[in-house]
């Protein structure tokens, strides 16, 4: 029996090995892999094969894999439905020479598609005379899926095995730590036997966790698995709870830590940023920790959840540090006070009569001699203070600095590794809102609509979720209707502050943005931000539009750089939808800004009207395409502020859509322009007259192309009447009206009227 199992498992293992490494990354996550000092890509297939072969000698492992084999065979037979295929293709076909040859060519880590492709080639060579091409395709796909199903049964067993292999390979690849490893093996044996640990054993286990020689799967108040290179111990929730009093587990902070913020039970997503923080802040090799200096910054606009991410990292990975120390540096002058508060949390006694400077030096000495320690520098915005005071005092190989900041323009010589935090993905937004609103309260589509309205900004989503959670009779649809002006709704303005915030930050969206706005110093930057509020959000702004703010390239670069650096603009540059609303709301409150906005919109209309081909001066959509979303947004926002300019912008958009042959789109735009132009029409304002007749001509041409010849004639006749009254019968505008009207009449088969228009057109031109 044992021999049969061994043979079967060896054959299957050759086929599972590539999938196994690929799947392990999904099971564990790159963050966990980085935390133990590397990725599976750093381990050769031979090394992994050797360690797995060793595991096969254990009866428990063989039983686990045999169950996986049976699961694969069951899956294949249940899903195949082709008797000939089942007879020709069994799981034993892995012994075929061509299959073995294909397996030797597999890369170190393969996904399902790659394995399927390799199997298809092998089946074609060995069974091509027995099976049809369709059967081979189906057989390769089902066989690969069967292997995937087998791997699924191995996840709980394989996670600690893979981590143990990683740790064991690391141990083999470096010298030293042998004594600690032997002690660690004995400690895990004691834990498995539910024996108490001595203080020396507790210290050794703490050291092993901090240096990454042992890792933990699980979290506090749950069952956990402790893994070393030579042992794996599973502890129940009760056993883990007892161990918490002796060592730090994920979810707890090391003794003497200072972090005044609780862990947020609603924390959602952010897997990739967490993975990057793990890679940056957890040294992969214990030997490197004596020389490594790490300074990581989480940067982004207000409301992105920067502090929340830092706090979650601290609770997840704090067990890998000697201590976690929180410093609120929104006021850099209080650095010494913050360090002293950390020292008091550590229980570090003050010498009688000792001044604060001496006590701070004492705290720093402990940090530098007993590490590694994680320092969370929250709200650091002052570049000068960071450069001259804060970073020089806190840079040390035993200190890992994690900053949260709105600024993204830190000087490169400071050596900050900037992690730019963006808004949630649609999937993260939906998962986050679902924490507040169960399926009975809202559908996925409703949550997606709400998230889109709020620009997937974590703070706005949190405020909306809190409000809806406390308003059980308010539907998401009703809430959205009342959210027309997001900043006026009570949910966004510090609603019921007694419920608090996980980060103790402001719960007022306007105030959050105002903090960044208050730091804008340059006049060009202030004007540019206001103007960007009238453009399309989340869309790169072309340089041709930016030049309407500052034509000098140096001044323009300074303005864009300042706004991007403060998180008020994204790289691109582009503006977040809620910041665009904020900018538009600011305009009426600032002296002269509304007049400046009108001038900007007028300049934008000039640019749109001048975007033509250099050859024939007709509409050039290739040049206009980058402008189009911004012209559409500006036209919409200009309707209340400057109707004549709004009419020009809509006309420009209609003209270019007409050139593109998007006649339905052009019709809708021209009709929107007509509503505005008719409202403000005056025979005494030549600019308004030109805009209206241009509007009517454009709409007439579009209707003609759509087959509405009567509508086209009516528009062109109306344009002709207005031009005759305002400009007289001998004006070029009249000639143009007659020319287009003649074409429409010809298409309507009214040839006599068409000839009359043509003759009149010739006389006007003469």
């Amino acid at each position: 029996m044992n021999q049969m199992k061994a043979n079967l498992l060896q054959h299957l293992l050759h086929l599972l090995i590539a999938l196994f490494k690929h799947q392990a990354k999904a099971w564990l996550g790159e963050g966990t892999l980085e935390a133990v000092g590397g990725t599976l890509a750093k381990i050769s297939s031979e090394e992994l094969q050797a360690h797995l072969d060793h595991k096969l000698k254990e009866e428990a492992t063989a039983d686990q894999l045999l169950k996986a084999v049976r699961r694969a065979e069951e899956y294949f037979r249940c899903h195949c439905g082709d008797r000939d295929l089942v007879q020709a293709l069994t799981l034993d076909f892995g012994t075929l020479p061509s299959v073995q040859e294909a397996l030797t060519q597999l890369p170190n880590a393969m996904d399902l598609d790659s394995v399927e492709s390799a199997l298809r080639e092998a089946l074609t060579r060995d069974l091509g005379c027995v099976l049809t091409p369709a059967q081979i395709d189906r057989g390769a796909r089902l066989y690969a899926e069967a292997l995937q199903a087998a791997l699924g049964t191995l996840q709980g067993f394989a996670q600690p095995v893979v981590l143990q292999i990683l740790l064991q390979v690391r141990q083999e690849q470096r010298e030293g730590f042998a004594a600690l490893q032997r002690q660690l093996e004995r400690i895990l044996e004691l834990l498995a036997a539910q024996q108490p640990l001595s203080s020396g054993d507790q210290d050794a286990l703490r050291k092993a966790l901090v240096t990454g020689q042992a890792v933990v799967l699980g979290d506090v108040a749950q069952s956990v698995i402790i893994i070393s290179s030579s042992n794996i111990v599973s502890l129940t929730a009760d056993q883990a709870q007892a161990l918490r009093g002796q060592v730090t587990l994920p979810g707890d902070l090391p003794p003497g830590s200072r972090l005044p913020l609780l862990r947020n039970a609603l924390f959602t997503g952010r897997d990739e940023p967490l993975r990057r923080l793990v890679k940056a802040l957890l040294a992969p090799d214990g030997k490197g920790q004596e020389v490594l200096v790490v300074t990581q910054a989480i940067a982004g606009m207000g409301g992105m959840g920067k502090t929340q991410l830092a706090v979650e990292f601290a609770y997840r990975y704090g067990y890998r540090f000697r201590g976690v120390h929180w410093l609120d540096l929104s006021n850099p002058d209080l650095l010494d006070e913050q360090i002293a508060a950390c020292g008091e949390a550590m229980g570090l006694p003050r010498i009688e009569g000792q001044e604060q400077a001496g006590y701070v030096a004492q705290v720093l000495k402990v940090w530098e001699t007993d590490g590694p320690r994680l320092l969370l520098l929250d709200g650091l915005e002052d570049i000068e203070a960071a450069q001259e005071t804060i970073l020089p005092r806190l840079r040390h190989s035993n200190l890992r600095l994690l900053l949260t900041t709105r600024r993204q323009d830190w000087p490169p010589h400071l050596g900050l590794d900037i992690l730019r935090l963006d808004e949630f993905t649609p999937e993260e937004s939906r998962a986050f809102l679902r924490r507040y609103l169960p399926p009975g309260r809202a559908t996925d589509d409703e949550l997606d609509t709400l998230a889109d309205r709020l620009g997937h900004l974590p703070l706005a989503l949190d405020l909306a979720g809190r409000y809806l959670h406390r308003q059980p009779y308010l539907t998401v649809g009703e809430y959205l209707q009342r959210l027309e002006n997001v900043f006026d709704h009570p949910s966004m303005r510090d609603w019921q502050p007694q419920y608090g915030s996980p980060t103790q930050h402001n719960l007022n969206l306007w105030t959050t943005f105002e903090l960044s706005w208050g730091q804008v110093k340059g006049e060009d930057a202030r004007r540019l931000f206001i103007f960007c509020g009238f453009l399309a959000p989340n869309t790169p702004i072309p340089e041709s539009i930016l030049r309407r703010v500052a034509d000098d390239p140096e001044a323009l670069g300074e303005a864009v750089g300042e706004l991007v650096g403060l998180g008020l603009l994204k790289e691109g540059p582009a503006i977040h939808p809620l910041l665009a609303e904020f900018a538009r709301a600011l305009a009426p409150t600032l002296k002269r800004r509304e007049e400046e906005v009108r001038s900007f919109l007028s300049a934008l209309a000039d640019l749109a009207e001048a975007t033509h081909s250099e050859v024939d001066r007709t509409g050039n959509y290739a040049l206009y395409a980058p402008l189009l979303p911004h012209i559409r947004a500006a036209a919409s926002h200009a309707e209340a502020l400057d109707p004549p300019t709004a009419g020009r912008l809509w006309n420009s958009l209609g003209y270019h859509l007409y050139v593109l042959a998007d006649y339905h789109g052009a019709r809708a735009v021209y009709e929107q322009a007509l509503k505005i132009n008719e409202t403000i029409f005056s025979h005494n304002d030549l600019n308004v007259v030109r805009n209206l007749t241009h509007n009517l001509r454009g709409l007439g041409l579009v209707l003609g192309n759509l087959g509405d010849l009567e509508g086209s004639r009516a528009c062109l006749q109306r344009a002709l009447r207005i031009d005759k009254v305002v400009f007289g019968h001998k004006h070029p505008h009249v000639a143009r009206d007659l020319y287009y009207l003649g074409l429409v009449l010809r298409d309507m088969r009214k040839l006599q009227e068409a000839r009359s228009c043509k003759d009149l057109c010739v006389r006007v031109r003469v």
Side-chain angles (χ1 to χ4, degrees):
M1 172 63 181
N2 288 340
Q3 183 62 36
M4 182 278 290
K5 283 200 298 185
N7 290 337
L8 180 58
L9 293 175
Q10 288 291 352
H11 293 320
L12 182 63
L13 189 61
H14 284 290
L15 197 53
L16 284 176
I17 187 73
L19 273 173
F20 188 78
K21 291 181 66 175
H22 176 84
Q23 192 64 37
K25 292 181 180 180
W27 286 340
L28 301 175
E30 286 288 352
T32 303
L33 294 173
E34 293 289 352
V36 298
T39 66
L40 286 169
K42 297 178 181 178
I43 299 179
S44 69
S45 291
E46 291 76 15
E47 287 178 298
L48 182 58
Q49 179 77 56
H51 285 286
L52 288 173
D53 285 345
H54 178 72
K55 294 295 293 185
L56 283 175
K57 296 177 182 178
E58 301 175 10
E59 187 70 17
T61 304
D63 288 340
Q64 288 281 352
L65 289 175
L66 188 59
K67 290 178 182 177
V69 171
R70 289 169 178 162
R71 168 64 177 147
E73 189 169 24
E74 177 186 344
Y75 182 97
F76 183 79
R77 293 184 180 277
C78 288
H79 289 79
C80 184
D82 184 331
R83 180 176 298 179
D84 293 337
L85 187 58
V86 171
Q87 290 178 347
L89 181 59
T90 69
L91 290 171
D92 289 330
F93 100 105
T95 61
L96 292 174
S98 61
V99 175
Q100 292 295 311
E101 180 185 351
L103 295 177
T104 62
Q105 300 173 6
L106 294 179
N108 286 339
M110 293 197 64
D111 58 14
L112 198 63
D113 291 339
S114 302
V115 172
E116 181 182 335
S117 177
L119 293 176
R120 186 180 295 108
E121 292 180 11
L123 287 172
T124 301
R125 284 195 299 272
D126 280 304
L127 299 175
C129 59
V130 178
L131 301 175
T132 66
Q135 286 177 315
I136 288 175
D137 286 342
R138 179 169 174 75
R141 184 179 67 256
L142 281 174
Y143 200 103
E145 290 176 356
L147 294 173
Q148 188 82 341
L151 284 174
T153 67
L154 294 173
Q155 179 172 354
F157 158 77
Q159 279 183 302
V161 170
V162 173
L163 282 174
Q164 186 181 35
I165 289 173
L166 281 168
L167 291 168
Q168 190 168 346
V169 171
R170 281 184 57 207
Q171 176 67 15
E172 294 169 356
Q173 291 173 346
R174 67 186 184 185
E175 299 177 357
F177 298 101
L180 179 59
Q181 281 296 325
R182 288 192 295 270
Q183 186 178 10
L184 181 58
E185 183 175 354
R186 183 178 55 79
I187 291 170
L188 295 189
E189 290 174 354
L190 290 174
L191 290 175
Q194 301 185 35
Q195 297 296 314
L197 301 182
S198 67
S199 59
D201 288 340
Q202 293 174 27
D203 291 340
L205 182 54
R206 289 192 200 102
K207 182 177 181 181
L209 292 173
V210 169
T211 57
Q213 294 175 81
V215 294
V216 182
L217 283 182
D219 210 326
V220 294
Q222 301 174 8
S223 59
V224 300
I225 302 175
I226 303 179
I227 306 146
S228 73
S229 63
S230 55
N231 206 345
I232 298 175
V233 175
S234 297
L235 303 180
T236 66
D238 290 341
Q239 291 172 309
Q241 188 69 20
L243 188 61
R244 286 177 68 180
Q246 301 171 329
V247 297
T248 305
L249 298 178
D252 273 341
L253 300 175
S257 295
R258 176 180 182 250
L259 181 51
L261 306 178
L262 298 175
R263 191 177 188 182
N264 186 359
L266 298 180
F267 185 88
T268 304
R270 299 305 197 193
D271 294 334
E272 176 59 21
L274 280 169
R275 186 196 69 80
R276 286 188 55 187
L277 291 179
V278 166
K279 186 175 182 179
L281 293 167
L282 295 178
D285 193 325
K287 292 192 301 183
Q289 292 181 354
E290 285 78 33
V291 296
L292 188 65
V293 176
V294 178
T295 311
Q296 175 79 37
I298 305 172
M301 64 179 279
M304 281 296 183
K306 301 179 293 295
T307 299
Q308 198 73 89
L309 177 62
V311 170
E312 179 64 19
F313 175 82
Y315 279 105
R316 284 197 194 185
Y317 299 103
Y319 79 100
R320 293 289 305 274
F321 300 92
R322 296 291 189 187
V324 174
H325 309 288
W326 176 269
L327 289 81
D328 180 357
L329 293 182
S330 54
N331 183 350
D333 294 337
L334 301 180
L335 174 61
D336 280 1
E337 181 179 307
Q338 292 290 308
I339 294 175
C342 291
E344 292 169 358
M346 293 165 59
L348 193 64
R350 284 179 183 261
I351 301 173
E352 186 175 352
Q354 185 180 34
E355 295 183 356
Q356 180 163 278
Y359 184 64
V360 168
Q362 186 179 346
V363 175
L364 291 174
K365 185 176 180 180
V366 172
W367 286 356
E368 293 170 0
T369 55
D370 184 22
R373 292 180 180 270
L374 177 64
L375 271 58
L376 303 175
L377 314 183
D378 189 47
L380 182 55
E381 312 293 343
D382 192 324
I383 293 179
E384 183 178 354
Q387 180 173 248
E388 296 182 0
T389 307
I390 298 171
L391 295 181
R393 295 183 68 187
L394 299 180
R395 279 191 187 277
H396 190 274
S397 59
N398 266 339
L399 303 182
R400 307 287 183 267
L401 307 184
L402 177 55
L403 290 69
T404 66
T405 177
R406 295 167 185 253
R407 305 199 71 99
Q408 303 183 52
D409 56 347
W410 291 89
H413 69 267
L414 291 180
L416 297 186
D417 182 9
I418 304 296
L419 170 59
R420 291 180 171 85
L421 201 60
D422 294 322
E423 54 265 33
F424 276 158
T425 64
E427 294 75 21
E428 288 175 329
S429 294
R430 188 186 311 128
F432 180 80
L433 287 172
R434 187 59 75 197
R435 300 289 190 94
Y436 284 111
L437 301 169
R441 281 289 311 274
T443 66
D444 283 351
D445 287 343
E446 287 176 320
L447 296 185
D448 291 345
T449 302
L450 176 57
D452 286 341
R453 172 65 185 91
L454 297 175
H456 300 275
L457 183 69
L459 173 60
L461 295 175
D462 187 38
L463 296 178
R466 290 158 58 101
Y467 187 81
L468 286 166
H469 179 70
R470 299 286 298 181
Q471 298 284 352
Y473 306 112
L474 182 67
T475 68
V476 172
E478 291 168 337
Y479 176 68
L480 282 167
Q481 291 176 0
R482 302 176 188 190
L483 210 60
E484 182 177 354
N485 187 332
V486 68
F487 296 105
D488 283 346
H489 196 275
S491 63
M492 299 291 157
R493 285 191 171 269
D494 206 19
W495 178 75
Q496 295 196 357
Q498 68 271 20
Y499 292 110
S501 160
T503 58
Q504 299 178 7
H505 287 176
N506 200 297
L507 296 176
N508 187 315
L509 188 63
W510 178 274
T511 303
T512 298
F513 289 166
E514 207 168 31
L515 288 173
S516 295
W517 169 248
Q519 297 182 56
V520 182
K521 305 302 180 186
E523 181 59 24
D524 284 335
R526 294 176 72 84
R527 291 171 58 242
L528 174 60
F529 178 68
I530 298 296
F531 296 163
C532 286
F534 293 82
L535 302 176
N538 289 336
T539 306
I541 303 170
E543 182 180 342
S544 56
I545 292 180
L546 296 174
R547 290 274 189 169
R548 266 54 191 176
V549 180
D551 191 48
D552 184 319
E554 292 181 348
L556 181 59
E558 287 288 336
V560 172
E562 184 175 359
L563 293 175
V564 171
L566 290 171
L568 290 170
L569 287 184
K570 302 179 181 182
E571 293 282 357
I575 190 167
H576 186 274
L578 294 184
L579 279 173
E581 289 188 52
F582 176 73
R584 293 195 300 275
L586 277 176
T589 68
L590 302 173
K591 189 177 181 181
R592 304 189 314 277
R593 290 302 182 200
E594 280 199 342
E595 188 56 41
E596 290 179 348
V597 169
R598 290 191 185 93
S599 298
F600 170 70
L601 294 172
S602 179
L604 198 58
D606 293 340
L607 173 64
E609 292 168 354
T611 306
H612 297 303
S613 165
E614 293 295 329
V615 178
D616 55 13
R617 304 303 295 169
T618 60
N620 187 327
Y621 190 74
L623 296 176
Y624 193 81
L627 306 180
L628 192 151
H630 299 293
I631 299 300
R632 187 184 295 276
S636 178
H637 297 314
E639 289 184 2
L641 185 65
D642 189 356
T645 299
R648 289 179 60 200
L649 289 165
W650 284 126
N651 271 349
S652 164
L653 185 58
Y655 170 68
H656 283 275
L657 292 176
Y658 168 75
V659 171
L660 186 65
D662 179 7
Y663 300 128
H664 289 286
R667 176 179 181 172
V669 167
Y670 272 133
E671 288 177 344
Q672 180 66 21
L674 190 59
K675 291 179 184 178
I676 298 170
N677 292 325
E678 286 179 327
T679 302
I680 61 176
F681 177 68
S682 168
H683 286 85
N684 298 322
D685 189 332
L686 294 183
N687 289 326
V688 173
V689 170
R690 290 191 184 96
N691 209 35
L692 177 59
T693 55
H694 173 69
N695 189 177
L696 290 167
R697 277 192 297 272
L699 181 57
L701 293 174
V702 168
L703 292 174
N705 279 279
L706 288 172
D708 183 3
L709 298 179
E710 284 292 348
S712 176
R713 180 173 70 168
C715 287
L716 293 170
Q717 286 177 335
R718 185 179 173 195
L720 177 62
R721 288 195 299 271
I722 294 172
D723 282 338
K724 282 182 177 180
V725 170
V726 176
F727 300 110
H729 290 256
K730 291 287 187 178
H731 195 275
H733 286 188
V734 174
R736 183 164 46 184
D737 296 335
L738 288 167
Y739 173 75
Y740 288 131
L741 181 58
L743 294 178
V744 172
L745 291 169
R746 182 196 64 188
D747 292 341
M748 296 177 70
R749 313 306 296 170
K750 298 181 181 296
L751 300 182
Q752 188 62 38
E753 294 180 46
R755 178 180 292 277
S756 176
C757 283
K758 179 180 178 182
D759 292 342
L760 287 172
C761 178
V762 171
R763 291 195 206 106
V764 170
R765 285 178 175 174
V766 172

